[in-house]
Amino acid sequence: MRAIAIVLTALLAGTLAAEARELRLGAAPPPASPWGVITQKFVDRVAEVSGGELEIKAYMGGKLGAEQDVAKQIARGRIDMGVMSNSAVSLLVPSFGLLTSPYAFDSAEQFDCVADNHLLDTFGEEFDGAGIVTLSWMEVGYQSIFSQKDMRLPSDLAGVKIRTAPSVTDTLFIKEAGGTAVPLDPNDVIPAMKTGQVNAATQLSVFGIVSSYDKVAPNIVLTRHQHQVGAIIMSKRTWNKLSDEEKGWINEAAPVFLELREAIRGAEVALLKKVADEGANVIELSNKELDAWRALAPAAQKQILDELGGKAQAKWNAILAAKSACTQN
């Protein structure tokens, strides 16, 4: 009887282990970056609240492929979920890219208010139509320029081949500034710098530093021309296969990504100081210099809306209304 009991116990344990669901998560940032650290915290939190019955297997550092390819695979249900930048999400929901319109927000506080209180109302239908479910928003940070030469004004971009995010907003703004835009995936930038394919790159300050952009382009020009919000997304096909209990575990864990606001903003200050101490040329622009970049925004925004077409103007109006509501509050 004791032998039978041991066999039954082993069979039961094997059955429970087999029933544990595993979901694949793709992310471009490396594990040691702020996004990688918080992604691991999410993975651990899901394991904790589910008692090990739901496992998230995270593939960070672009191990599942280029970020935009991963986003497409999520929409098709071939990858379960991802930690995605605005550029990747806007591939699926183009109007979501309007949030990274040049100098769209007056402050980080205004940006947070819009994200917390208005984004689902503005883009929920489009996310559903794209075949994805949004689990949480994610602070991505400010876009600036890493350059092999010193630059301060848009006129300094003349003749410069500059990597842009593969998005309408970043690319058209840089073209309006006079640069020769070369849209590239983030992981392709350093090789492109080394071969001379590009001489500069727009990139998030934190991501660029943790990815060693400053080693090949040591002039960091703090244009801060975009404030990016990303999203943690899941394939709707995967979401619909989950039980209510499993959905509850994921929803309980997902808010850890909101901790990135403080982490990213603090990391930017610390990392810029670190690389400056190591010899990088961190260029804080004067108000007059920043005004020259900001002056390009209206013309670039018109081109962005024309390029996106469709409901882009209506979505932009909704973002402006959200900004106004947040300003009044």
Side-chain angles (χ1 to χ4, degrees):
M1 290 296 290
R2 185 172 181 273
I4 293 173
I6 291 172
V7 171
L8 289 174
T9 300
L11 287 172
L12 179 59
T15 300
L16 289 174
E19 289 177 352
R21 190 189 295 272
E22 180 180 290
L23 303 179
R24 292 196 304 158
L25 178 152
S33 70
W35 303 278
V37 170
I38 210 72
T39 296
Q40 187 58 52
K41 187 172 182 179
F42 169 72
V43 168
D44 295 341
R45 181 64 176 152
V46 169
E48 177 188 348
V49 299
S50 71
E53 292 185 41
L54 183 61
E55 180 182 354
I56 309 294
K57 191 167 181 62
Y59 296 84
M60 293 185 256
K63 287 186 178 179
L64 293 182
E67 187 183 41
Q68 294 209 337
D69 292 333
V70 171
K72 293 176 185 176
Q73 296 301 321
I74 292 171
R76 293 168 184 161
R78 295 174 184 169
I79 296 174
D80 297 303
M81 58 193 304
V83 176
M84 299 281 107
S85 71
N86 186 282
S87 298
V89 176
S90 62
L91 180 71
L92 306 176
V93 180
S95 58
F96 190 71
L98 288 169
L99 291 164
T100 63
S101 293
Y103 300 106
F105 295 93
D106 302 328
S107 66
E109 292 74 22
Q110 184 189 66
F111 179 87
D112 293 343
C113 175
V114 170
D116 293 343
N117 300 293
H118 301 278
L119 288 195
L120 281 179
D121 289 341
T122 304
F123 296 104
E125 182 179 339
E126 283 75 13
F127 276 97
D128 186 65
I132 55 177
V133 174
T134 306
L135 304 175
S136 178
W137 308 121
M138 175 183 72
E139 174 73 14
V140 182
Y142 286 101
Q143 192 94 326
S144 289
I145 295 174
F146 289 75
S147 174
Q148 292 178 336
K149 71 169 189 174
D150 191 325
M151 62 173 64
R152 292 179 174 274
L153 295 168
S155 57
D156 295 328
L157 274 177
V160 175
K161 295 176 290 183
I162 175 169
R163 174 269 178 185
T164 59
S167 66
V168 170
T169 49
D170 197 37
T171 300
L172 290 181
F173 178 71
I174 290 300
K175 286 183 177 180
E176 181 65 24
T180 301
V182 182
L184 289 173
D185 184 80
N187 293 327
D188 295 332
V189 173
I190 291 180
M193 287 273 194
K194 290 180 177 179
T195 62
Q197 182 184 0
V198 297
N199 313 115
T202 64
Q203 186 52 269
L204 307 159
S205 302
V206 174
F207 186 92
I209 292 170
V210 300
S211 301
S212 299
Y213 281 32
D214 57 296
K215 305 305 181 190
V216 292
N219 298 283
I220 306 173
V221 190
L222 300 180
T223 56
R224 295 192 174 100
H225 58 275
Q226 292 181 329
H227 189 171
Q228 285 209 21
V229 58
I232 292 65
I233 62 174
M234 178 177 282
S235 168
K236 194 160 70 170
R237 292 184 181 183
T238 297
W239 182 256
N240 289 340
K241 292 176 185 176
L242 298 179
S243 68
D244 288 343
E245 186 176 35
E246 290 168 329
K247 291 175 182 176
W249 293 331
I250 289 173
N251 283 331
E252 184 175 346
V256 300
F257 284 98
L258 295 178
E259 296 175 14
L260 277 167
R261 286 178 178 166
E262 183 176 351
I264 294 297
R265 293 166 193 173
E268 182 183 49
V269 174
L271 287 172
L272 287 171
K273 182 180 185 306
K274 177 178 180 292
V275 295
D277 290 343
E278 293 172 350
N281 182 25
V282 177
I283 302 170
E284 282 278 6
L285 300 177
S286 68
N287 288 336
K288 184 176 181 180
E289 290 165 339
L290 275 173
D291 285 344
W293 292 94
R294 291 191 184 107
L296 303 171
Q301 191 63 25
K302 183 180 185 306
Q303 294 176 52
I304 290 164
L305 292 171
D306 289 345
E307 179 73 18
L308 290 175
K311 297 181 179 179
Q313 184 64 61
K315 293 299 179 185
W316 181 239
N317 291 343
I319 292 170
L320 295 177
K323 282 179 56 181
S324 179
C326 286
T327 301
Q328 290 172 10
N329 291 338

